[in-house]
Amino acid sequence: MAEGIQGRIRRRRVFSERKDILNMYNDAELVKRYRLDRAGILLVTDFVRDAITPPTGRNRAIPAELKVITTLRYLATGKMQLCNGDDIGITQQAASKMITQTLDALVTPPAAFISRFVKFPRMQDEIRQRKAEFREIANFPEVVGAIDGTHIRIVAPREYEAEYINRKNYHSINVQVVFDARYRILDVVAKWPGSVHDSRMWNECGLKEGFENGTIPRNCHLIGDSGYPSQPWLLTPYLQPRTEIQEAYNRAHKRTRCVVERGIGQLKRRFHVLHGEVRVSPAKTSQIVMVCAALHNLCKERNLDLPDEPDIGQQQLEDRPEEPNHIQPFVPDGVQGGILYRDHFATLHFQ
């Protein structure tokens, strides 16, 4: 009888020691490990505190700050959740749940985290500033953003697997991103399978609709490569320049457009999870991209340094030959008007 009772006695749970990260490291060390300083980590936590704080403190419930720190560590390093658990003193299962819960909270509209840090300028003062910053690069006028697509490698998804194979024959999410001249992200779309061409993403995005319906003021332009259709608000290069004006336009266009290539490089250097193969579903990968974009802008806002790694310099980007675009862009109705507008723009500003 006594043996039976003793056999039913519950074993006492043994908890791993949790590290007090915010007091263990100074700001420089926090930025190196988590890409944000102490104030930045607390700021992000405040956006989602209500959504991720446990209702009780029973069983050593994990506080909101530690959940955010765990998520930041994963985004910054791209390490598997088990490594994050070892770093911070929690189990693999707990780390996985925390990352999922925190990403969900950060992209959910009530938190307003994405919209707070990723937004396209609409006010005239903001637009004038963006134009002036771009003009400093190569004297290319009236530009507020540079647009391009970048592929984020993913593990083969269970559904619609073939749609995610891109033209380089690996599975990916194709991400459309717009940078300003200071490498801040103005707009990001992270929902398309890798097989989708950049021009289709553009033609079905909300930003293009804003240009068309006038919610984005006139005389604002994006600058993009030849994979995009030429439109009155999207300036692309001449594939075969025939005049000195067109050649001058192309030279300035190329130097100015380097911003988006270098901006994508900065984003992936800051958050290594975007470098390798993301081993989660496409939907969760989209969440990761959106959160990384907002965090990148928060780092810019707080003047936090990039990781100390090699970067592609401006001159190197300018010296690279144009990569041929073997897939012709989708040509919408009225594209001829965009080509005529580009001719007018080039003649007006590059004569």
Side-chain angles (χ1 to χ4, degrees):
M1 183 71 174
E3 291 178 0
I5 294 175
Q6 189 165 354
R8 290 194 296 271
I9 295 176
R10 295 179 62 184
R11 293 184 179 181
R12 185 177 180 181
R13 294 181 65 183
V14 178
F15 295 95
S16 301
E17 180 182 357
R18 292 178 189 158
K19 301 177 182 179
D20 186 1
I21 298 297
L22 292 178
N23 291 316
M24 278 180 59
Y25 301 119
N26 60 32
D27 276 345
E29 292 168 329
L30 288 172
V31 171
K32 182 178 179 180
R33 290 171 170 81
Y34 306 104
R35 302 304 188 251
L36 287 175
D37 55 7
R38 189 177 194 276
I41 292 171
L42 293 176
L43 176 63
V44 174
T45 304
D46 286 341
F47 272 93
V48 294
R49 189 179 299 279
D50 291 344
I52 66 175
T53 297
T56 69
R58 296 181 60 186
N59 295 328
R60 294 188 71 212
I62 299 171
E65 288 82 0
L66 187 56
K67 292 180 180 181
V68 169
I69 286 169
T70 303
T71 303
L72 290 173
R73 183 65 169 163
Y74 170 63
L75 300 178
T77 65
K79 295 166 64 177
M80 297 298 291
Q81 281 95 326
L82 177 59
C83 299
N84 282 275
D86 290 343
D87 286 346
I88 300 174
I90 55 177
T91 66
Q92 178 186 4
Q93 293 82 357
S96 180
K97 290 179 181 178
M98 288 158 53
I99 292 168
T100 296
Q101 183 188 27
T102 305
L103 289 173
D104 285 342
L106 285 169
V107 301
T108 300
F113 180 70
I114 305 299
S115 60
R116 161 64 177 82
F117 292 104
V118 180
K119 49 191 175 183
F120 198 86
R122 307 280 174 142
M123 305 301 293
Q124 286 297 337
D125 287 347
E126 292 179 309
I127 290 170
R128 278 194 293 268
Q129 181 182 350
R130 297 301 197 283
K131 288 180 178 180
E133 291 169 349
F134 267 109
R135 190 152 193 165
E136 291 174 1
I137 298 172
N139 204 30
F140 201 108
E142 305 299 327
V143 172
V144 295
I147 186 171
D148 204 356
T150 184
H151 287 269
I152 306 300
R153 186 186 292 265
I154 62 171
V155 67
R158 295 179 179 179
E159 296 182 342
Y160 309 109
E161 180 263 345
E163 294 184 11
Y164 289 88
I165 300 176
N166 61 30
R167 63 189 179 94
K168 295 187 178 180
N169 205 34
Y170 64 84
H171 297 89
S172 69
I173 296 285
N174 196 1
V175 177
Q176 176 182 285
V177 62
V178 179
F179 280 87
D180 70 10
R182 297 293 182 262
Y183 308 108
R184 295 165 295 201
I185 297 172
L186 303 181
D187 189 75
V188 60
V189 179
K191 65 180 182 179
W192 291 98
S195 64
V196 174
H197 190 259
D198 291 353
S199 61
R200 181 184 172 192
M201 292 196 297
W202 164 249
N203 279 297
E204 298 190 26
C205 76
L207 191 59
K208 176 177 179 285
E209 183 179 348
F211 279 103
E212 289 179 332
N213 64 26
T215 57
I216 296 175
R218 296 182 61 185
N219 295 322
C220 287
H221 302 85
L222 299 180
I223 192 168
D225 64 21
S226 58
Y228 293 96
S230 184
Q231 295 176 325
W233 43 79
L234 177 51
L235 299 170
T236 60
Y238 288 95
L239 294 180
Q240 295 179 325
R242 292 184 172 88
T243 68
E244 292 183 4
I245 290 175
Q246 293 177 359
E247 289 176 353
Y249 168 96
N250 268 15
R251 286 193 297 269
H253 186 284
K254 183 176 181 179
R255 289 182 60 195
T256 306
R257 186 168 53 81
C258 286
V259 163
V260 68
E261 298 178 26
R262 196 172 187 186
I264 291 169
Q266 287 190 12
L267 176 65
K268 292 185 177 183
R269 283 174 58 204
R270 180 168 266 132
F271 298 106
H272 285 188
V273 69
L274 304 178
H275 256 313
E277 184 179 71
V278 185
R279 302 187 65 81
V280 297
S281 69
K284 187 177 287 188
T285 302
S286 296
Q287 290 184 337
I288 288 171
V289 174
M290 298 299 294
V291 170
C292 286
L295 290 170
H296 172 82
N297 283 359
L298 173 57
C299 292
K300 289 288 184 182
E301 187 175 293
R302 300 189 62 79
N303 295 314
L304 301 177
D305 293 335
L306 281 164
D308 187 17
E309 298 172 3
D311 187 18
I312 300 177
Q314 181 79 7
Q315 190 62 47
Q316 288 177 276
L317 287 170
E318 293 168 14
D319 290 343
R320 288 195 317 197
E322 291 281 351
E323 183 178 343
N325 198 325
H326 300 295
I327 303 176
Q328 290 300 312
F330 169 73
V331 179
D333 293 338
V335 73
Q336 190 65 29
I339 294 173
L340 293 174
Y341 180 87
R342 181 180 61 186
D343 290 342
H344 169 75
F345 184 93
T347 301
L348 181 64
H349 296 290
F350 294 93
Q351 187 153 348

